[in-house]
């Protein structure tokens, strides 16, 4: 314990002495701060700030750091040392965090007023590298001491990991989300006001039902709810039809169905909306055809409920299909065979055995569709028109003519409570009711084919829909190559040239308008992906393999961010990280952070699934053979988790590229992302560029996915190579 | 390899283990002598695997002390205990070759790779798997995998070797061979070994001593012969070998012989007690024989089922003292189903347990 704690103590000291305490203008990696590490009040380290630049409270906050240092030097008794480390480092963490909040740029300067007499010039900006190094190493001194007390079975690695993930989730999920609450309760003068919150919450603009009685439109709350229920039901039915076809019929092109489930994952959320506009918009192909041949008047019906609904069905049916194919396959064939031997016909078997067994899975798919729909931002933004839903209303409350963060926060609370309720229902009600019929016993037998009527019904629903999906996607390709959709259908490369042209006149110059955001997107996504995978898989490891107090709460809180819509995360990040002590808005770090913590549940789920398939006795064998938990993770878990790690990397990379809802609040002129750039083009009516850019993004992601798949493939090849070599060498004994 | 006498000794002092509200072990105390093979035997859920995992350090005690080799290891995790374990599933690392698997314990404790691989090769030779080092575990048969698991545990020269149902995935014939090999390795290396199984025949075949567990505590411990001949309860009598249990009245006890009466027949049965008690008579199936009625005074009965197995005949009987299961190894005479018989008991081989 002592060695580990001393190491972290030294790192903390380095952080306090030789790293800039506050955020540095130009960025940490420019190292512009090195020369002024003691002398410049902007870039000085904590100790220098305290001694030379009147920020004496930093010295006070660092006293506990000296305390842990002295304890490590002079206390010999193991137990006493452990306890001292825990107590003193907690004090240190509390003091550093407290000074960050109390002595801010804008907050009342209690201490200064008391001691200096009147406000001074010494308020502080957001914390920087030094502060974070000190905070994290103090945290690890704490966890090391805690494990030294015999807690967590004395395993410093595990306790440290738990401590790290808990604090990361607290700082980057709970802390920002709590800002929404604060903001929603804040009155016009900045003081908390329940009345203000109540008047915002019960506002007629949110809850009006005018679309049902009389004319006019309903409030966004009702719109969101209605849309979500219909999308949940629609995607579940379509997904079930596809799942039944894939498992219970002799349908030949099953592989095509599987491909259709992957494509939407790499499609930015509003792209389907764009393609729908090309088909059904006022000058869309279908609209034109109907107008020419049947005299159907051109209308703007697409911009509203039906357009959004159609786009969401297209976007989320694959998710339902993925969920339901597991459910449908999970119904053990032997149950159906048992039913048939008991003289039930196919329809009776389906009606009384298979369907009831699938019911919890159906509920699950419905709730997933519900959550996805209600959190969806891209489609309503592109197609919503006057049909306003909560997620877009939040956006317009922030970026609209009159920024009203109080209203945005209130809407966010309503949205959050809807998704959270669905999430809780899914976990506690559906979760408990699921009939796991996958027993691990070899289950021979075949699934009963559907009875003909049901089969035809499935074909009739699913196949036209699949064809429709194909048409929609091909629109994305066609649309990017024509001059002006609906008016001038001549072939052109103009859109690609405008977006992605390169000039070689003097060196390579990236002259296209899209390059900037394209590179930013790739960079940020590829930085975020490994962190997401790391945090997600580490959490999964703790959840599956370790026992500790509060594990259920821990699991719940890590899964929670899955239920928080992107718009809510986005607004909470700008509310929380716009002011000291953590000032991140306008940086690329905030984009990376939002991706990491928004996509973390995906990594956690993938990790849990992969980890559950690794027999726990592998870890235990490694432990009894004398390996500690760190070595076990390094030499046994990680090599065996290879595919899961790659899957988590791919998925978080792709999600970072395609996400728009959270990002749109957090981009800045310097760090613009592809999706928000495209949304900007759509808002300007430049569909050609928007679609060309989307197509490029999709191709980029396909290349990355295929590249990563090749790496997995290589791994397998290597093993096969080894086998072949083996079989050539003669083996004597048998 | 120090000359320390306590090396390999395992001691439990009032160890309690709870999982939440479920008590897995109620105050267990036991001593395992260096060099012996002790089996933990019992029905599933009796706490035998928990006991093993507590020795390994894979579970933490709720209360009590555990020492290994005279050293208190209660708060050490598996990593820091000098024990190794053979798992029921073998737990071979699928991504490492057989050699890497066997050398794993050595390499993680910073043994140079060359030396570790040499030792691994010795370990493989010991279990008869020379030349298999380059294979992956998935390319071995079940029995071979099992031996790799043993080699991997043994090359570390642990103080205590733990085996968690090591044979449960092997078929019956292989099972007998492998358990002999395990026993030979254990004896030749003079290792202390703790073996968990639910199969009483396996336990009797390999053990110096058996600890039978039931409901989270020890029911009885002793050599296989002790347990078979002198069970201390109906549970042990029934669990170790087959037994017919018959309630009986104990008349008097004089110098280790109890006078009892069952089914109208008076018997003298050895006992360790000296005060009459509420007893059940333990009749092993081979300690009773069938005769035609009338010749000798026996317990009256009727054959309800007879099975000819070649080397023996198994009878199920309806008798005055209840349903009986009897095995006839002599095969002098067969009694068809329905015949009336008299049952004769071999007094010296009977035992009394508290009812």
């Amino acid at each position: 314990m002592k060695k580990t704690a001393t190491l972290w103590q030294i790192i903390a000291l380095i952080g306090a002495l030789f790293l800039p305490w506050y955020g540095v203008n130009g960025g940490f990696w420019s190292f512009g701060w090195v020369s002024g590490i003691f002398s410049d009040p902007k870039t000085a380290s904590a100790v220098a700030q305290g001694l030379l630049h009147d920020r004496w409270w930093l010295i006070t906050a660092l006293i506990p750091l000296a305390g842990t240092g002295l304890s490590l030097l002079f206390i010999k008794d193991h137990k006493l040392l452990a306890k001292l480390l825990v107590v003193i480092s907690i004090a240190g963490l509390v003091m550093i965090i407290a000074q960050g909040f109390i002595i801010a740029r804008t907050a009342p300067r209690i201490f200064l007023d008391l001691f200096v007499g009147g406000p001074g010039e010494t308020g502080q900006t957001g914390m920087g590298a030094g502060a974070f190094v000190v905070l994290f190493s103090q945290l690890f001194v704490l966890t090391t001491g805690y494990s030294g007390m015999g807690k967590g079975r004395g395993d410093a690695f595990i306790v440290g990991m738990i401590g790290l993930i808990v604090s990361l989730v607290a700082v980057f999920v709970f802390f920002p989300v709590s800002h929404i609450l604060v903001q929603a309760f804040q009155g016009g003068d900045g003081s908390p006001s329940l009345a203000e919150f109540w008047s915002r919450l019960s506002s007629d603009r949110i809850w009006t039902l005018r679309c049902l009685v009389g004319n006019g439109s309903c409030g966004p709350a009702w719109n969101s709810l209605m849309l979500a229920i219909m999308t949940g039901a629609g995607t579940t039915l379509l997904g079930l039809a596809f799942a039944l076809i894939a498992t219970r019929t002799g349908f030949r092109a099953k592989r095509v169905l599987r491909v259709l489930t992957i494509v939407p994952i790499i499609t930015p959320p509003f792209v389907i909306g764009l393609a729908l506009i090309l088909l059904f918009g006022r000058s869309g192909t279908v609209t034109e055809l109907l107008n020419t041949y049947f005299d159907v008047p051109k209308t703007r019906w697409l911009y509203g409920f039906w357009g959004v609904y159609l786009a969401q069905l297209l976007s989320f049916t694959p998710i339902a299909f993925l969920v339901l194919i597991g459910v449908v396959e999970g119904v053990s064939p032997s149950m159906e065979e048992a039913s048939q031997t008991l003289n039930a016909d196919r329809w009776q078997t389906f009606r009384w055995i298979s369907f009831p067994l699938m019911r919890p899975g159906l509920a699950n798919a419905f709730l997933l569709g519900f959550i996805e729909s209600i959190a969806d931002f891209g489609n309503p933004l592109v197609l919503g028109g006057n049909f306003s839903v909560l997620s877009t209303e939040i956006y317009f409350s922030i970026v609209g003519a009159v920024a009203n963060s109080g209203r945005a926060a209130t809407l966010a609370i309503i949205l959050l409570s809807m998704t959270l309720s669905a999430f809780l229902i899914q976990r506690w009600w559906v979760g408990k009711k699921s009939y796991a019929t996958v027993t691990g016993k070899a289950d021979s037998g075949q699934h009963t084919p559907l009875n003909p009527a049901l089969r035809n019904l499935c074909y009739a629903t699913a196949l036209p829909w699949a064809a429709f999906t194909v048409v929609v996607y091909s629109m994305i390709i066609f649309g990017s190559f024509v001059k002006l959709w609906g008016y001038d259908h001549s072939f052109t490369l103009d859109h690609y040239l405008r977006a992605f042209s390169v000039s070689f006149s003097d060196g390579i110059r990236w002259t296209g308008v899209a390059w900037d955001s394209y590179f930013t997107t790739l960079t940020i996504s590829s930085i975020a992906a490994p962190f997401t995978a790391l945090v997600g898989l580490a959490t999964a490891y703790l959840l599956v393999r370790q026992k500790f107090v509060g594990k259920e709460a821990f699991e719940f809180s890590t899964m929670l961010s899955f239920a928080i819509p992107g718009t809510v995360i986005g607004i909470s990040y700008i509310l929380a990280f716009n002011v000291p002590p953590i000032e991140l808005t306008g940086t690329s770090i905030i984009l990376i952070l939002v991706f990491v913590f928004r996509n973390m549940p995906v990594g956690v789920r993938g990790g849990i699934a992969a980890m559950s398939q690794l027999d726990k006795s592998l870890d235990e064998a490694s432990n009894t053979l004398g390996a500690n938990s760190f070595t076990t993770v390094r030499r046994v878990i990680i090599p065996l988790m290879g595919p899961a790690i790659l899957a988590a990397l791919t998925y978080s990379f792709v999600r970072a590229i395609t996400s728009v809802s959270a990002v749109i609040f957090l981009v800045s002129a310097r760090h613009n992302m592809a999706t928000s750039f495209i949304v900007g083009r759509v808002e300007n009516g430049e569909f050609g560029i928007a679609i060309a850019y989307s197509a490029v993004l999709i191709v980029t992601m396909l290349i990355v996915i295929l590249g990563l798949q090749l790496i997995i493939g290589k791994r397998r090849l290597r093993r096969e190579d080894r086998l072949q070599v083996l079989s050539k060498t003669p083996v004597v004994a048998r | 390899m120090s000359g320390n006498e306590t090396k390999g000794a395992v001691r439990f002092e009032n160890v309690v283990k709870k999982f939440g509200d479920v008590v897995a072990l109620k105050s267990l105390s036991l001593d395992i002598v260096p060099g012996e093979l002790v089996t933990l035997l019992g029905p599933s859920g009796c706490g035998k695997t928990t006991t093993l995992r507590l020795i390994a350090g894979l579970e933490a005690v709720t209360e009590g002390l555990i020492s290994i080799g005279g050293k208190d290891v209660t708060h050490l995790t598996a990593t820091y205990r000098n024990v190794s374990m053979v798992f029921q599933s073998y737990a071979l690392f699928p991504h490492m070759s057989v050699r890497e698997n066997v050398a794993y314990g050595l390499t993680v404790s910073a043994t140079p790779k060359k030396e570790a691989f040499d030792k691994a090769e010795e370990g493989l030779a010991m279990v008869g798997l020379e030349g298999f080092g380059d294979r992956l575990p998935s390319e071995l048969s079940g029995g071979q995998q099992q031996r790799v698991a043993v080699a991997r545990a043994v090359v570390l020269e642990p103080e205590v070797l733990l085996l968690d149902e090591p044979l449960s995935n092997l078929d019956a014939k292989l099972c007998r061979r492998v358990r002999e090999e395990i026993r030979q390795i254990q004896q030749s290396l003079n290792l202390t070994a703790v073996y968990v199984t639910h199969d009483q025949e396996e336990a009797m075949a390999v053990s110096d001593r058996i600890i039978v567990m039931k409901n989270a505590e020890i029911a009885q411990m002793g050599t296989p012969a002790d347990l078979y001949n002198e069970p201390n309860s109906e549970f042990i009598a029934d669990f170790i070998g087959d037994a017919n249990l018959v309630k009986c009245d104990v008349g008097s006890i004089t110098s280790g012989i109890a006078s009892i009466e069952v089914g109208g027949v008076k018997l003298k049965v050895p006992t360790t007690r000296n005060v009459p008690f509420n007893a059940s008579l333990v009749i092993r199936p081979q300690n009773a024989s069938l005769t035609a009625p009338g010749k000798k005074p026996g317990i009256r009965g009727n054959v309800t089922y007879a099975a000819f197995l070649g080397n023996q005949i198994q009878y199920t009987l309806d008798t005055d003292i209840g349903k009986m299961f009897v095995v006839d190894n002599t095969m002098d005479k067969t009694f068809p189903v329905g015949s009336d018989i008299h049952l004769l008991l071999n007094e010296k081989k009977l035992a009394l347990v508290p009812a």
Side-chain angles (χ1 to χ4, degrees), chain A residues 13-83:
Chain A
L13 285 177
I14 293 173
L17 279 170
F18 303 114
L19 291 177
W21 184 260
Y22 297 114
V24 184
N25 266 338
F28 178 80
W29 299 111
S30 65
F31 291 100
W33 46 270
V34 174
S35 57
I37 188 63
F38 298 122
S39 53
D40 187 339
K42 280 198 179 109
T43 61
S45 70
V47 174
Q49 294 279 12
L51 297 176
L52 308 173
H53 305 296
D54 291 339
R55 297 197 167 105
W56 52 270
W57 60 86
L58 288 178
I59 294 293
T60 325
L62 289 175
I63 287 174
L65 188 61
T68 48
L70 291 175
S71 312
L72 279 167
L73 282 178
F74 297 112
I75 306 291
K76 296 283 171 242
D77 181 54
H78 184 89
K79 288 220 163 116
L80 180 64
L81 176 62
K83 264 186 206 160

Side-chain angles (χ1 to χ4, degrees), chain A residues 152-155 547 614-629 631-632 635-637 639-640 719 722-723 726 729 731-734, chain B residues 53 56-60 76-81 83-85 87 89 91-97 104-105 107-108 130 132 134-136 139 152-153 156:
Chain A
R153 302 217 60 203
D155 196 327
K547 283 178 260 178
L614 289 187
D615 192 349
K616 193 173 184 214
S617 62
L618 289 174
D619 304 35
E620 294 178 345
S622 173
N623 282 332
T624 57
L625 291 168
N628 59 28
S629 43
T631 312
T632 304
R635 291 200 43 186
V636 178
I637 307 274
L640 289 175
R719 185 166 285 181
R722 194 151 100 191
L723 299 191
L726 259 176
T729 53
V731 179
V732 193
R734 185 143 259 276
Chain B
R53 292 170 61 83
L58 293 171
E59 303 284 351
L76 292 185
T77 52
T79 309
Y80 305 101
R81 293 191 191 183
V83 300
S84 57
M85 183 153 163
F87 288 80
S89 60
L92 299 178
F93 306 125
H95 58 301
M96 298 182 193
S97 69
Y104 181 83
T107 53
V108 295
E130 303 97 328
F132 282 72
D134 289 322
R135 297 214 187 175
L136 288 174
E139 299 170 272
R152 184 176 70 177
L156 281 182

Side-chain angles (χ1 to χ4, degrees), chain B residues 112-319:
Chain B
K113 204 167 183 180
K114 173 84 174 53
E115 193 185 328
F117 276 11
D118 287 346
K119 280 202 172 178
E121 210 56 58
E122 283 171 34
L124 285 172
M126 185 167 58
V127 295
L129 286 176
E130 303 97 328
F132 282 72
D134 289 322
R135 297 214 187 175
L136 288 174
S138 55
E139 299 170 272
L140 300 182
S141 70
Q144 289 169 330
Q145 290 181 14
Q146 211 279 340
R147 284 187 247 164
V148 174
V150 171
R152 184 176 70 177
V154 169
V155 288
L156 281 182
E157 296 170 10
E159 277 194 66
V160 186
L161 175 64
L162 306 172
L163 301 116
D164 184 10
E165 309 223 7
L167 307 180
S168 61
N169 290 329
L170 303 179
D171 65 57
K173 280 192 179 156
L174 195 56
C175 187
R176 195 175 306 157
R177 213 177 74 204
V178 176
R179 81 186 176 211
E180 277 169 25
E181 286 172 6
I182 290 178
R183 178 65 162 160
Q184 274 163 12
I185 291 170
Q186 179 259 332
Q187 284 179 328
S188 65
L189 298 177
N190 197 24
L191 284 172
T192 310
V194 184
Y195 193 109
V196 161
T197 180
H198 62 268
D199 180 336
Q200 54 96 12
E201 186 197 317
E202 191 180 318
M204 310 251 309
V206 295
S207 314
D208 291 309
R209 216 148 54 94
I210 297 177
I211 297 174
V212 185
M213 300 187 66
K214 186 197 174 190
N215 294 339
E217 54 194 351
I218 294 178
Q220 188 176 1
M221 51 184 158
T223 64
D226 287 346
L227 294 182
Y228 190 80
N229 295 327
E230 293 164 28
N232 68 358
S233 63
E234 290 191 350
F235 168 73
I236 298 289
D238 193 40
F239 195 72
I240 306 287
D242 284 319
N244 299 288
L245 294 165
V246 180
K247 295 262 181 307
C248 64
D249 297 322
V250 179
S252 65
I253 300 178
T254 39
S255 57
I257 303 291
S259 309
I260 62 162
E261 189 181 324
V262 283
V265 178
K266 287 195 165 61
L267 297 167
K268 294 202 179 301
V269 180
T271 177
T272 49
R273 303 204 181 201
N274 40 30
V275 182
F277 60 105
N278 248 349
S280 281
L281 182 63
V282 180
I283 307 168
R284 300 287 180 193
Q286 72 277 20
N287 295 335
S289 52
L290 276 54
T291 60
K295 289 182 185 165
K296 288 183 192 167
I299 300 157
R300 280 176 304 163
N302 181 278
V303 178
T304 58
Y305 185 76
F308 177 79
L309 299 185
N311 60 345
Q312 56 174 225
I313 304 174
Q314 297 182 343
Y315 291 105
T316 308
L317 309 169
D318 236 344
T319 71

